[in-house]
Amino acid sequence: MRVVLSGAGWLACAAAFLLLIQQPISVNAQWVIAMTALGVAAAIYALRLGGTWRFIFLAAASVVILRYAYWRTTATLPSTEDLINFVPAIILYGAEMYCLLMLAMSLFVAADPLERSRAPQYPDNDLPSVDVFVPSYNESSDILALTLSAAKGMDYPADRLRVHLLDDGGTDEKRLSRNPAIATAALRRHEELKDLCRDLEVTYHTRVANVHAKAGNLNNGLSRSSGKLIVVFDADHAPAREFLRETVGFFLTDPKLFLVQTPHFFANPDPLEKNLSTFKRMPSENEMFYGPIQKGLDKWNAAFFCGSAAVLRREALAQVGGFSGISITEDCETALDLHSRGWNSLYVDRPMVTGLQPETVSSFIGQRSRWCRGMVQILLLKNPAFRRGLSLPQRICYLSSMMFWFFPFIRLIFLISPLLFILFDLKIFDASVDEFISYSITYLCAGELIRNYLYGRVRWPWVSDLYEYVQSVYLARAVISVLINPRRPTFNVTAKGQTTDKEHLSELAWPYFAIFGVLLFVMGVAIYRFQTEPAISGMLLVVGAWNLMNLIVAGAALGVVTERMERRQSPRLLAMRKGDLCIGGATVPVAIEDVSLGGAKVLALGPVPEGLVRENARLLIYPLSGGKEIGSLPVAIQSLVTSEEGLGLGVRFKAALQHYHLIAELMLADMEPVREQRSKRRRMRGILGGSLAFIGWGISYPLRAFHHLIFDRDEPKAKGAEPAGLEAAFPTSAPTSSRIS
Amino acid sequence: MLKKTFLSTTFIAAVGVFSLPVCAQGIAPFSLADSGRLAPAAAAVGTASTSLRRFAASQQDLLLSGERAMTNIAFFVTAAETAQPARLNIVYQTAVSVLPQTSSMQVFVNDRSVSETKLRAGPANSLVLEIPSGMLQPGYNSIGIAVDQHHRVDCSLSGTYELWTQVDAARSGIDFALPDLGPISLADLPVVARSGTDHTAINVVLPEGTSNRLKSLALSAVQAVSILGSFKHPLVTFSKTAGTGPGIDIFFGEGAAARAIGAGTGLPGVSLIKPDPTGRAGLVLGTQAAPDIASAVTALVSAAQSSRASGTIFGLKALGQPEQAEFPLATAVSLREFGLDTQEFSGRMYRSEMSFFLPTDFYPADYDTARLKLNAAYAAGLSTDAQLLVKANGHQVAVLSLNAPGGAQLTDQVLKIPLGNLRPGRNTISFEASLLKNTDATCDPAEAADLDPRFVIRESSTLRVPQVGRMGHLPDLGAIANAGTADAAVGASLTLLTPVSDGPSFDAAATILALSARSSRTVRTTRLSSTVPPTTSGDLLAVGTFKDLPPELLTHTGVNEPGMLQLGSSEPEPTRGGQPEAKTLAVREASFFTSFATPMDVSTRVAELLNNSVLWARRTVVIDGIGDSSTFTAIQGYQPDRSASVILAQAATPGSQPHAWSVVAAPDEAALSQGIALLSGGSGWDRLSGAVGTVDDKGDVETFAANRERLFETQPRSLTNLRLVFAGWLSRHVQTYMISILLLALLLGVSTHLFLRQLGNTKR
């Protein structure tokens, strides 16, 4: 009853609101209305008001946005008789309306993000049995050792926890390959990992053939295990100790729950973060998704499986025949299948795994290409709009996630539109300068205000535009290929952990230069025309400003495709715990500051003996809760740095397999420092400051990029780089030296 | 070509025959500052022939100023005159600054060029042209006079203001060589206006002590005469005796009939006395044969209201009556059709305008735009500040720079004119292009003679006015000018309130009625009163001095005597056509719904509602809109300027059906007479709008909008119309709109929050 009443009230308000919005009023009146609404929204934004104010903010900003949509629809389209203008005009209009639709859907998704309390805790005897799957394709044994050790070390009754390595790199198909190189490598890998598993008390599985990629591999695991719950960790996703305690309890509370998803946390920067040097300060790209968006989806019971760091219910999976494998994004597809069968999902916003993400532009594009093609595949093959069993909010949520991936087209349309006026004088947007200012500019401001208000903590201004632009250049073709043949795309493993030993241009860089060049040329034409064609100077100013915005984004993108040097082999995680360093008989208490798979940085808390022996030291490790040492790692001291705080020592682990559980303990037992680091990056970045900084990128990075373009032409390719050009975006075979995702 | 040769020959012959001693004229020195005013014509041209039929135009109508100017005069020709040889006389004075060698005058008859001559500088020059027979048609014909004027020494823009040619109204016209006009019919009444004076005199002859009833009838007759004669500048007097000079006397009853024998008009009791040699005609109402004055007046009124002006299309267009210049809505119309100069222009300051009429119930607000699609071109080398300024009813709506170094073609350049800049009735869109070249600074005589075209607005340029909202609204002085009130629409009578029923106030009131009748072609019956009637009695027009008019009337209409400062009042911004200035946020009160009047009673409305449930949505809106304003709706806080000689103000009466109560007031009777004469003699009448208008001592009209308004329906109800009017109302009440929309945003926010709390996963 209350739902009906509040729904009716809402409907009445919305109807009256729309009635007033769709009035053809004067430009001056529009200006006054838009500025007042923006003023109200800006005040709520500036005062950081939440709760009900959040919705008042959105309604006030909607005034401006809907007024724009109304005006754009009724007053700006050229006559249909004038086809040369009308066709591009309607395309641009369509793109804008698509953006508005996406905005509406994303507002729906992010309307009321759900803040979950911690998982209910149950006595050990009540806990269900859990199978942990670590699918692997080509990851090295040290990485797997860490992940498996960490999985094994999770806080859970030992008799109810089984860890399985699902090796797709040592399948019969590979081991018996006619290619002797492949066969030898696969055989060696097979033996090595079997040994590793035996030592770590982990079950090793491989299968006959690599069919259905990751989904097939996981299903193989399903068939060979029997736990009530399934946990999936990607090979590089080492879990924290508390992972199961923070997730499993939910399954006991809700018998219809099929999924608990947790965020992915990356210990290394993506190419944008790396090449623009923002990793330490700027929130990661995925934090928007694993923050407001997944929490928003959770509100509508639509949080979906992201391939790793999640717990699933075997019973639910069994109902749909295991993990779905029609598309190349099996995770989302599986979730969609289960949601449509009435199962529930849930999202826990607590990072409990740390993993790797692609670090070069080409591997990044390759990964996004897979996501993009996979999501478009699902949209085409299992369209959530028509799928039975889904609730309306779930449909909207899934559509929002999938339709998002058409952004490459939208971006390209926005990129080309100003050119049509500046170069070819097409009048595709019939409006005066006054109207542009009163409608379009205020609309853009409202959009930016909403973005910043909703996502300001997890996304700096303009950074979304940059990410989208960088991807659009290659993803547009990917989308088209899926549209033409939805069943064709195949699963490609994302390359991660590549390093760049010197600064150079990405092999995918040339289209970005070409676009930047064209936009720069167009800017020149606009300036020339501005001076020589006074009758349209106002319009040139507007369209020129639009092109300038594109140019700035394209300029910043040149910074992204200039790969910075990245020497460190394995990313470090912050740790804050005590230990003892035993050097030549002396024991020095140390604070362990950060840890990576290969070593650690420690700070000496006591005097360090003179003339220390660098080799053959040992790092004693104590449990977090205090008490007796749990083991020691053989280390070599690599560097000594004196700082204000004292003497810092860089130590390299000389770890054997049996030591990996200690490294896992060091890295993952306490992820609190990591979470702190994450939340520290989540500082609100203002629109003005963010925009100015972005303009700075747009100006400075092209200079750096052009420097490389001119002076590095004949340099050999960087080590570890993927095949050049488009092949990287659409790899036909899996890259050889990379880790699976 | 043949025609041109013929015309030139005719012209030479004409000059030879009627050669006037203009050559003897030296260039008389005169003040340039006086350029806009009539300089006394030199006597050397001689007095006009008694058979000269002058233009029905005031001196101001015949002033041609600027580098290129044109005037089109509607000239009425009787059937008898078309059989006569016609000789066009134009006596003119050209500013001394005009360089004769490069300046010319072109004369058109019904849009066909009949002569092109060099202009002669000096105080009084004469041009005599034989008009080929058959060119003039019975009824209205257009006589166009266009001049191209170039400055002797000054190539600046300000120099262009020193260029003018004044055609002397007193000595110009067409000579049909008919000393006596002969008997005329009612349809020939426009001949009365062919006086060459600023006004057409209508004199009502009534003995002292005439009853109010007869006076009422006389006022109806005045209005009918004004319509029949299409008198552009009528000036009415009431006197005991017949007048002299050009004009018309209106006599009543047998006494009058005894004085002169009029010719029958085909209407019972109505006869016409043909114009005497001075141009004085007479109209007798109530003849011996049909002595009933009332029925004679009724017959005259119905004849007038059903009459239509006749003549050539050019003549009717020049007459500028609404029915001839009504703008076709939602159609692109060539600018040239409404009088814009689309010829190539080689001067430095292009000025031209187009005028057209919009429906009298047009609701002017910015809910849409008229689209001006401009095809134009300009020459290379114009200076950096060359620009085209477009004004709608005197308010700037667009500026286009014309300074591309290489010149440019403007193709389909769209300029949007918000509908709020237009108004019911006559609208004028003017174009001013300043076209200086850098070489103009030096003004080398060799360069100055450069007559290469600099600018052209092509004939393919169009204006498209969309479907407009149609809704009567009060207060709106335009409603007096075009009889646009609900009462006028149903023929209800108007209460005329004057402190005394004779004298200057009464004459002024009659002049206003005559003007209103001419522009609306509607006669309003009047009820005379000297006291304030109840508000339900209908429309009211009160004319008098501030001291004599009932003070409550002034209060109702929101005006005070000039100079009487009202504490706490602030002067509203002067407006264009009754709408707030573009940049001014109009603070308007009252809701959209309460501003609605009810045009019919609720039961009728409900019945109508039940009859047609399809129209549910729009009906409900209007039913909700039945509101009752308990006070007069008028301007607030208006403080008149001391320089205003006459103030016109209007208020809507309270109650479900608003009536227009208009007041015309002046400090004293002399000012009143002068102000009304100026209003009638100039072009100010067509520009009246808003709640208050002032006429200053030069005849300039300034208007002010009310901050509240009442609406009433004039059209069958339709959703589209209501929507336009609603949007227009919101545009004019931005503050209300803003507050409502923000309030709704607030409600929407809160209700969304409440609703969301019931939906989806809740916190757990």
Side-chain angles (χ1 to χ4, degrees), chain B residues 109-140:
Chain B
V109 173
N110 287 328
D111 216 31
R112 281 158 68 183
S113 175
V114 293
S115 150
E116 189 167 1
T117 63
K118 291 266 182 276
L119 269 181
R120 277 166 294 179
N125 304 291
S126 172
L127 178 63
V128 181
L129 297 169
E130 293 284 351
I131 299 175
S133 62
M135 217 168 187
L136 293 173
Q137 301 290 315
Y140 283 100

Short mmCIF file of all heavy atoms in Angstrom, two decimals, chain B residues 109-140:
data_model
loop_
_atom_site.label_atom_id
_atom_site.label_comp_id
_atom_site.label_asym_id
_atom_site.label_seq_id
_atom_site.Cartn_x
_atom_site.Cartn_y
_atom_site.Cartn_z
N VAL B 109 3.88 54.27 -60.42
CA VAL B 109 2.42 54.25 -60.29
C VAL B 109 2.03 52.78 -60.30
O VAL B 109 2.36 52.06 -61.25
CB VAL B 109 1.73 55.03 -61.42
CG1 VAL B 109 0.22 54.84 -61.34
CG2 VAL B 109 2.09 56.50 -61.32
N ASN B 110 1.37 52.38 -59.26
CA ASN B 110 1.01 50.97 -59.10
C ASN B 110 2.20 50.05 -59.40
O ASN B 110 2.13 49.11 -60.18
CB ASN B 110 -0.18 50.61 -59.99
CG ASN B 110 -1.46 51.22 -59.42
OD1 ASN B 110 -1.59 51.35 -58.19
ND2 ASN B 110 -2.37 51.61 -60.29
N ASP B 111 3.30 50.39 -58.77
CA ASP B 111 4.52 49.59 -58.81
C ASP B 111 5.22 49.62 -60.16
O ASP B 111 6.19 48.90 -60.35
CB ASP B 111 4.23 48.13 -58.41
CG ASP B 111 5.39 47.54 -57.61
OD1 ASP B 111 6.05 48.33 -56.90
OD2 ASP B 111 5.64 46.33 -57.72
N ARG B 112 4.75 50.43 -61.09
CA ARG B 112 5.48 50.54 -62.36
C ARG B 112 6.17 51.87 -62.43
O ARG B 112 5.57 52.92 -62.14
CB ARG B 112 4.51 50.36 -63.53
CG ARG B 112 4.18 48.89 -63.76
CD ARG B 112 2.92 48.72 -64.50
NE ARG B 112 3.04 49.19 -65.89
CZ ARG B 112 2.02 49.19 -66.74
NH1 ARG B 112 0.83 48.78 -66.34
NH2 ARG B 112 2.19 49.62 -67.97
N SER B 113 7.41 51.82 -62.80
CA SER B 113 8.20 53.04 -62.83
C SER B 113 7.69 53.93 -63.96
O SER B 113 7.50 53.48 -65.08
CB SER B 113 9.66 52.68 -63.05
OG SER B 113 10.40 53.86 -63.21
N VAL B 114 7.44 55.18 -63.65
CA VAL B 114 6.98 56.09 -64.69
C VAL B 114 7.98 57.21 -64.94
O VAL B 114 7.86 57.93 -65.93
CB VAL B 114 5.60 56.71 -64.36
CG1 VAL B 114 4.52 55.65 -64.38
CG2 VAL B 114 5.62 57.43 -63.03
N SER B 115 8.92 57.34 -64.05
CA SER B 115 9.88 58.41 -64.28
C SER B 115 11.12 58.19 -63.43
O SER B 115 11.03 57.66 -62.32
CB SER B 115 9.24 59.75 -63.89
OG SER B 115 10.21 60.66 -63.44
N GLU B 116 12.25 58.59 -64.00
CA GLU B 116 13.47 58.58 -63.20
C GLU B 116 14.23 59.84 -63.58
O GLU B 116 14.58 60.03 -64.75
CB GLU B 116 14.28 57.33 -63.49
CG GLU B 116 15.43 57.18 -62.52
CD GLU B 116 16.07 55.80 -62.57
OE1 GLU B 116 15.63 54.98 -63.40
OE2 GLU B 116 17.00 55.58 -61.80
N THR B 117 14.42 60.70 -62.63
CA THR B 117 15.10 61.97 -62.94
C THR B 117 16.16 62.24 -61.90
O THR B 117 16.14 61.66 -60.82
CB THR B 117 14.13 63.15 -62.89
OG1 THR B 117 13.65 63.25 -61.54
CG2 THR B 117 12.97 62.98 -63.83
N LYS B 118 17.05 63.14 -62.26
CA LYS B 118 18.02 63.60 -61.27
C LYS B 118 17.30 64.47 -60.26
O LYS B 118 16.40 65.25 -60.61
CB LYS B 118 19.11 64.42 -61.96
CG LYS B 118 20.01 63.59 -62.87
CD LYS B 118 21.25 63.15 -62.13
CE LYS B 118 22.19 62.35 -63.02
NZ LYS B 118 21.81 60.93 -63.08
N LEU B 119 17.70 64.36 -59.04
CA LEU B 119 17.12 65.23 -58.01
C LEU B 119 17.74 66.60 -58.17
O LEU B 119 18.91 66.73 -58.52
CB LEU B 119 17.48 64.70 -56.62
CG LEU B 119 16.53 63.74 -55.94
CD1 LEU B 119 17.10 63.39 -54.57
CD2 LEU B 119 15.15 64.35 -55.78
N ARG B 120 16.95 67.60 -57.90
CA ARG B 120 17.52 68.94 -57.92
C ARG B 120 17.55 69.46 -56.50
O ARG B 120 16.56 69.34 -55.77
CB ARG B 120 16.69 69.84 -58.82
CG ARG B 120 17.10 69.69 -60.29
CD ARG B 120 16.10 70.29 -61.22
NE ARG B 120 14.82 69.58 -61.17
CZ ARG B 120 13.76 69.94 -61.88
NH1 ARG B 120 13.82 71.00 -62.66
NH2 ARG B 120 12.65 69.25 -61.80
N ALA B 121 18.70 69.96 -56.13
CA ALA B 121 18.81 70.48 -54.78
C ALA B 121 18.06 71.80 -54.72
O ALA B 121 17.80 72.43 -55.74
CB ALA B 121 20.27 70.67 -54.42
N GLY B 122 17.71 72.20 -53.51
CA GLY B 122 17.08 73.49 -53.38
C GLY B 122 15.72 73.39 -52.77
O GLY B 122 15.20 72.31 -52.58
N PRO B 123 15.13 74.52 -52.46
CA PRO B 123 13.93 74.54 -51.63
C PRO B 123 12.67 74.05 -52.33
O PRO B 123 11.84 73.43 -51.69
CB PRO B 123 13.79 75.98 -51.21
CG PRO B 123 14.64 76.77 -52.11
CD PRO B 123 15.66 75.87 -52.73
N ALA B 124 12.46 74.34 -53.57
CA ALA B 124 11.18 73.91 -54.16
C ALA B 124 11.36 73.56 -55.61
O ALA B 124 11.59 74.41 -56.45
CB ALA B 124 10.14 75.01 -53.99
N ASN B 125 11.27 72.29 -55.86
CA ASN B 125 11.40 71.81 -57.24
C ASN B 125 10.12 71.10 -57.60
O ASN B 125 9.45 70.54 -56.74
CB ASN B 125 12.58 70.86 -57.36
CG ASN B 125 13.84 71.50 -56.88
OD1 ASN B 125 14.35 72.42 -57.50
ND2 ASN B 125 14.32 71.05 -55.72
N SER B 126 9.88 71.11 -58.86
CA SER B 126 8.62 70.51 -59.27
C SER B 126 8.87 69.47 -60.35
O SER B 126 9.72 69.64 -61.22
CB SER B 126 7.68 71.61 -59.79
OG SER B 126 6.55 70.99 -60.34
N LEU B 127 8.13 68.41 -60.24
CA LEU B 127 8.20 67.36 -61.24
C LEU B 127 6.77 67.13 -61.70
O LEU B 127 5.88 66.92 -60.88
CB LEU B 127 8.78 66.10 -60.61
CG LEU B 127 8.91 64.86 -61.48
CD1 LEU B 127 9.87 65.11 -62.61
CD2 LEU B 127 9.40 63.70 -60.62
N VAL B 128 6.55 67.22 -62.98
CA VAL B 128 5.19 67.03 -63.47
C VAL B 128 5.22 65.87 -64.45
O VAL B 128 6.05 65.85 -65.36
CB VAL B 128 4.67 68.30 -64.15
CG1 VAL B 128 3.25 68.08 -64.63
CG2 VAL B 128 4.72 69.47 -63.19
N LEU B 129 4.35 64.92 -64.25
CA LEU B 129 4.35 63.72 -65.09
C LEU B 129 2.94 63.45 -65.58
O LEU B 129 1.98 63.49 -64.81
CB LEU B 129 4.79 62.50 -64.28
CG LEU B 129 6.19 62.50 -63.72
CD1 LEU B 129 6.33 61.35 -62.73
CD2 LEU B 129 7.18 62.33 -64.84
N GLU B 130 2.86 63.15 -66.84
CA GLU B 130 1.57 62.69 -67.35
C GLU B 130 1.46 61.20 -67.01
O GLU B 130 2.37 60.43 -67.29
CB GLU B 130 1.54 62.83 -68.88
CG GLU B 130 1.56 64.24 -69.38
CD GLU B 130 0.23 64.95 -69.23
OE1 GLU B 130 -0.77 64.28 -68.88
OE2 GLU B 130 0.18 66.18 -69.42
N ILE B 131 0.37 60.85 -66.41
CA ILE B 131 0.20 59.43 -66.15
C ILE B 131 -0.58 58.84 -67.31
O ILE B 131 -1.68 59.32 -67.63
CB ILE B 131 -0.55 59.18 -64.82
CG1 ILE B 131 0.25 59.78 -63.67
CG2 ILE B 131 -0.79 57.70 -64.59
CD1 ILE B 131 -0.44 59.71 -62.35
N PRO B 132 -0.01 57.85 -67.97
CA PRO B 132 -0.71 57.29 -69.12
C PRO B 132 -2.10 56.83 -68.73
O PRO B 132 -2.30 56.30 -67.63
CB PRO B 132 0.15 56.10 -69.53
CG PRO B 132 1.48 56.35 -68.90
CD PRO B 132 1.23 57.16 -67.68
N SER B 133 -3.03 57.04 -69.62
CA SER B 133 -4.40 56.65 -69.28
C SER B 133 -4.47 55.14 -69.15
O SER B 133 -3.72 54.40 -69.80
CB SER B 133 -5.38 57.15 -70.35
OG SER B 133 -5.05 56.53 -71.57
N GLY B 134 -5.34 54.72 -68.30
CA GLY B 134 -5.47 53.28 -68.06
C GLY B 134 -4.59 52.80 -66.93
O GLY B 134 -4.77 51.70 -66.42
N MET B 135 -3.65 53.62 -66.53
CA MET B 135 -2.76 53.18 -65.46
C MET B 135 -3.44 53.31 -64.10
O MET B 135 -3.22 52.50 -63.22
CB MET B 135 -1.50 54.04 -65.48
CG MET B 135 -0.27 53.25 -65.15
SD MET B 135 1.17 54.23 -65.53
CE MET B 135 2.41 53.02 -65.25
N LEU B 136 -4.26 54.33 -63.96
CA LEU B 136 -4.96 54.51 -62.70
C LEU B 136 -6.30 53.80 -62.78
O LEU B 136 -7.00 53.87 -63.79
CB LEU B 136 -5.18 56.01 -62.43
CG LEU B 136 -3.92 56.83 -62.16
CD1 LEU B 136 -4.25 58.31 -62.09
CD2 LEU B 136 -3.24 56.37 -60.89
N GLN B 137 -6.60 53.11 -61.74
CA GLN B 137 -7.86 52.36 -61.68
C GLN B 137 -8.77 53.01 -60.65
O GLN B 137 -8.30 53.67 -59.74
CB GLN B 137 -7.59 50.93 -61.26
CG GLN B 137 -6.65 50.16 -62.18
CD GLN B 137 -7.30 49.87 -63.51
OE1 GLN B 137 -8.46 49.45 -63.58
NE2 GLN B 137 -6.59 50.13 -64.60
N PRO B 138 -10.07 52.83 -60.78
CA PRO B 138 -10.94 53.37 -59.73
C PRO B 138 -10.58 52.76 -58.38
O PRO B 138 -10.25 51.57 -58.32
CB PRO B 138 -12.34 52.93 -60.17
CG PRO B 138 -12.22 52.58 -61.60
CD PRO B 138 -10.81 52.15 -61.82
N GLY B 139 -10.66 53.58 -57.38
CA GLY B 139 -10.29 53.09 -56.05
C GLY B 139 -8.86 53.48 -55.73
O GLY B 139 -8.31 54.44 -56.28
N TYR B 140 -8.28 52.71 -54.84
CA TYR B 140 -6.93 53.07 -54.40
C TYR B 140 -5.88 52.64 -55.41
O TYR B 140 -5.91 51.52 -55.93
CB TYR B 140 -6.62 52.43 -53.04
CG TYR B 140 -7.30 53.16 -51.90
CD1 TYR B 140 -8.47 52.68 -51.33
CD2 TYR B 140 -6.76 54.35 -51.42
CE1 TYR B 140 -9.10 53.35 -50.31
CE2 TYR B 140 -7.38 55.03 -50.38
CZ TYR B 140 -8.55 54.53 -49.84
OH TYR B 140 -9.16 55.21 -48.82
#
